[in-house]
Amino acid sequence: MSRWHVVRVPAPLRWGSLPNEGVLGVQDLPGAVARIGLRPGDPVFVRPDGVVDPGLLDFVRSKEFRNLEWESKRNYATDIRILLEFLSSRGLSWKEATEQDLADFRDWRCRAPENPERIGGSKWNREAAAFTKLFRWGKVYPLPVDVSRREDRAADSVSSRVSWLTPRTWGLWSDVGLRGHTRAGVAAPGWESRTEIRNTSFVQLLLSSGLRRQEGGSLLTLELPTQRLRHGRYLHGRIAGAVTRSKNTRTFYASVDSVGQVEAYVQSERAWAVQRAQEQGTYDRLPMMRLITKVSRGLKPKVEWMDAAGVVGGQELSLLGWRERQWLFLEGPDGPEPAWLWLTEQGLPMDPDRWNGVFRAANLRCEEVLLTEEERKVERRFRLAEVQGKTPYATPHSARHSMALFMLILLNELFESRYGLTRKDRRDFALLFGDPWWLVKTLLGHADVETTKRHYLAPVAHLQLESILAAAENNDEGQDTEDLDGVFARLARETAGIQDIDSLLDSAS
């Protein structure tokens, strides 16, 4: 057997109940792990014989790996594990790898017809970066692969994860996947979801704001937008730089309706989860709790706290990473409660990556309702295009892409006055006017507008939106005969990758 495993160090709140006699002879396993320099989320590579690889353990504790972001650590560990299994099948350790071994591995990963899970150029470049970092740290020379060498990089490195759903298709996905509706549009008999309000409000917040999963999933209750644009239907808030990809704090905008849904969640499902946790003493047993004593205002708001030992501390909100944020608590009417916005049913902070599971479950629910039993037997990646087109499929990042596409079309239309927007509608975007691409780039938090065009919206740039939107016939009074839903429906028909309810219904009929 050449099967390697990756075990990740749990967060302080996630160790669970450990036996009094210890684990594998270790009395204080969390303490022992901390003493050797491992941090929450760090991967531990276990060899096929069940023994932890000491060399890779040193790599994980090295500054080269330690300084990576949480998501990069997880991705790199996954990539390295696949390479380790390939090398093990040849009877080699990673320190014995040669350029020929990596060339063979790349051929298998990217080009071999026998491999049903071939990857594209972008994925290979990420893997090559992980391997390069490992081999350089381990002083394996000549380097089996070097991402800085042109021949070791893929020429077809284009992001393939861009996906859009039109607004009404998001409605279908949410109704079926998150609210348990049937084809008839009513809740299925026996449907029960204790987190329906939480899940739907999170999706609506991401759709409205364009926040990334980690950005929206790391919000504190005290960071919910409260400042309304003048005469508008949008609120604006600040997203902390520590939880963004660029590490720069920025302003984000969310509709009043989406924030209202989040507030409804806070007052219902979230309040019930907190109450149950308080009654069960869940928070009293936490190994780490920082009770907020003061939050300053201004351009750089700072939060001050006191921990269970009475130690006082403080930090700027923008500098608090998502793990530190999970330790923050507020004094509520019935005792301490998490400042973290999104909670599990147990009343504990929900890790941002757990939203992937919520979306997966919703996708499966859509398949169960909208596909036949025979169609579901075939794994999604092997289904015919016409079968895939019968059911919406979404990820947290799809919400970000969809928001960008919606804003681009709406702003182009606003500037051209094709739809005769009312004075009130114009006021909603009055403070956001500018070039549509530049505006969408700002909303997404990109440093360069070319990034927005290249990675998110380039597939629709060739459509020349002015020509498409001009197809909406205007009469002499300037009244349009086609609304935004019609524009999105036509855009979905003419552009690959855009999911719209019309195409789904056509496929199902």
Side-chain angles (χ1 to χ4, degrees):
M1 292 291 290
S2 57
R3 185 77 174 172
W4 282 72
H5 295 277
V6 175
V7 181
R8 290 178 173 80
V9 177
L13 306 181
R14 298 284 184 264
W15 277 95
S17 300
L18 298 176
N20 295 329
E21 63 273 16
V23 179
L24 300 177
V26 180
Q27 289 295 325
D28 180 16
L29 184 57
V33 168
R35 282 193 294 275
I36 64 174
L38 289 175
R39 298 176 176 179
D42 280 349
V44 177
F45 293 88
V46 182
R47 297 192 309 229
D49 59 4
V51 177
V52 173
D53 188 287
L56 292 172
L57 188 63
D58 289 339
F59 171 63
V60 169
R61 295 184 296 172
S62 69
K63 64 179 181 180
E64 287 83 357
F65 191 87
R66 173 166 290 178
N67 292 333
L68 295 174
E69 291 296 325
W70 169 277
E71 191 81 5
S72 296
K73 288 182 179 181
R74 185 181 66 175
N75 292 337
Y76 278 24
T78 301
D79 298 338
I80 290 173
R81 182 188 66 80
I82 298 173
L83 175 63
L84 293 172
E85 292 187 348
F86 178 85
L87 294 173
S88 292
S89 69
R90 295 187 164 194
L92 300 173
S93 72
W94 62 272
K95 290 187 176 181
E96 298 171 317
T98 65
E99 290 187 61
Q100 185 61 53
D101 292 320
L102 267 293
D104 293 343
F105 177 75
R106 179 180 180 181
D107 182 73
W108 174 71
R109 287 291 279 159
C110 302
R111 293 182 285 269
E114 300 83 6
N115 182 7
E117 298 181 348
R118 293 191 298 274
I119 61 174
S122 296
K123 180 66 166 63
W124 168 254
N125 285 348
R126 191 190 81 182
E127 293 188 2
F131 306 152
T132 302
K133 188 174 291 290
L134 172 63
F135 290 133
R136 278 182 175 161
W137 172 84
K139 296 181 172 58
V140 179
Y141 295 110
L143 286 176
V145 64
D146 185 353
V147 74
S148 65
R149 292 195 299 243
R150 185 174 181 179
E151 60 269 26
D152 285 344
R153 296 195 307 271
D156 60 338
S157 177
V158 179
S159 177
S160 60
R161 297 188 297 168
V162 180
S163 62
W164 304 275
L165 284 74
T166 62
R168 55 183 180 171
T169 307
W170 274 107
L172 174 67
W173 183 86
S174 296
D175 286 343
V176 176
L178 300 179
R179 298 188 177 97
H181 287 190
T182 65
R183 280 175 173 268
V186 296
W191 169 261
E192 181 181 357
S193 175
R194 294 182 295 273
T195 57
E196 179 181 312
I197 302 177
R198 182 198 69 187
N199 297 343
T200 53
S201 59
F202 177 80
V203 170
Q204 288 304 311
L205 180 65
L206 261 58
L207 275 173
S208 172
S209 64
L211 292 175
R212 295 183 178 91
R213 180 198 65 194
Q214 180 163 300
E215 294 169 349
S218 302
L219 286 172
L220 305 178
T221 54
L222 50 88
E223 291 178 311
L224 274 178
T226 57
Q227 300 182 26
R228 186 187 295 248
L229 296 182
R230 185 181 180 187
H231 306 304
R233 296 195 299 268
Y234 278 77
L235 302 169
H236 63 94
R238 300 282 284 174
I239 193 71
V243 301
T244 67
R245 183 171 296 175
S246 65
K247 302 307 173 190
N248 293 320
T249 300
R250 73 174 192 273
T251 300
F252 73 97
Y253 302 85
S255 69
V256 171
D257 289 343
S258 67
V259 175
Q261 290 186 46
V262 176
E263 291 174 342
Y265 155 68
V266 171
Q267 297 168 10
S268 54
E269 285 181 357
R270 188 183 187 280
W272 300 331
V274 168
Q275 182 181 5
R276 286 193 299 270
Q278 290 173 335
E279 292 173 350
Q280 296 170 5
T282 301
Y283 302 141
D284 299 332
R285 298 189 295 270
L286 293 179
M288 176 67 73
M289 177 189 291
R290 292 174 174 175
L291 191 62
I292 295 176
T293 56
K294 180 182 178 181
V295 180
S296 66
R297 300 298 176 184
L299 294 177
K300 295 183 177 180
K302 181 179 179 180
V303 60
E304 298 178 5
W305 63 74
M306 178 182 294
D307 66 15
V311 178
V312 175
Q315 186 58 274
E316 289 182 23
L317 267 177
S318 62
L319 300 180
L320 288 174
W322 68 270
R323 288 208 165 276
E324 287 184 278
R325 290 164 163 263
Q326 291 187 335
W327 302 339
L328 296 178
F329 279 70
L330 294 165
E331 188 64 57
D334 298 310
E337 58 185 64
W340 187 269
L341 176 58
W342 309 105
L343 304 182
T344 65
E345 289 185 69
Q346 294 73 36
L348 295 173
M350 180 173 173
D351 288 354
D353 59 5
R354 290 189 61 183
W355 286 108
N356 291 346
V358 173
F359 277 72
R360 278 195 299 269
N363 291 330
L364 291 175
R365 165 71 185 166
C366 287
E367 291 182 359
E368 291 175 2
V369 173
L370 300 174
L371 297 182
T372 65
E373 184 177 354
E374 288 298 317
E375 291 168 338
R376 292 198 301 272
K377 289 180 180 178
V378 181
E379 191 176 343
R380 177 177 174 81
R381 55 186 171 149
F382 297 127
R383 290 174 188 157
L384 297 175
E386 60 181 293
V387 176
Q388 291 187 14
K390 290 183 179 181
T391 176
Y393 182 88
T395 66
H397 222 58
S398 299
R400 181 171 167 84
H401 299 152
S402 300
M403 174 268 191
L405 177 66
F406 177 82
M407 290 300 294
L408 178 66
I409 292 178
L410 183 61
L411 289 168
N412 271 278
E413 194 57 16
L414 178 64
F415 298 146
E416 289 193 357
S417 301
R418 296 284 185 187
Y419 285 93
L421 294 177
T422 65
R423 195 169 292 140
K424 182 179 180 182
D425 291 330
R426 290 179 182 277
R427 283 199 302 266
D428 283 343
F429 297 96
L431 296 180
L432 305 179
F433 270 19
D435 173 73
W437 285 104
W438 179 88
L439 174 58
V440 173
K441 163 255 181 190
T442 302
L443 294 176
L444 293 176
H446 289 159
D448 184 3
V449 70
E450 293 304 317
T451 302
T452 309
K453 294 179 180 180
R454 182 173 64 252
H455 292 291
Y456 288 84
L457 304 176
V460 300
H462 72 283
L463 294 174
Q464 296 180 339
L465 286 173
E466 297 103 45
S467 299
I468 296 176
L469 296 174
E473 298 179 2
N474 297 333
N475 59 25
D476 293 339
E477 286 75 30
Q479 294 176 333
D480 298 312
T481 61
E482 185 178 34
D483 59 10
L484 277 175
D485 282 339
V487 174
F488 276 112
R490 184 150 41 77
L491 197 60
R493 290 194 298 269
E494 299 174 2
T495 308
I498 299 179
Q499 302 176 53
D500 182 65
I501 194 171
D502 275 357
S503 58
L504 297 174
L505 295 177
D506 290 342
S507 298
S509 60

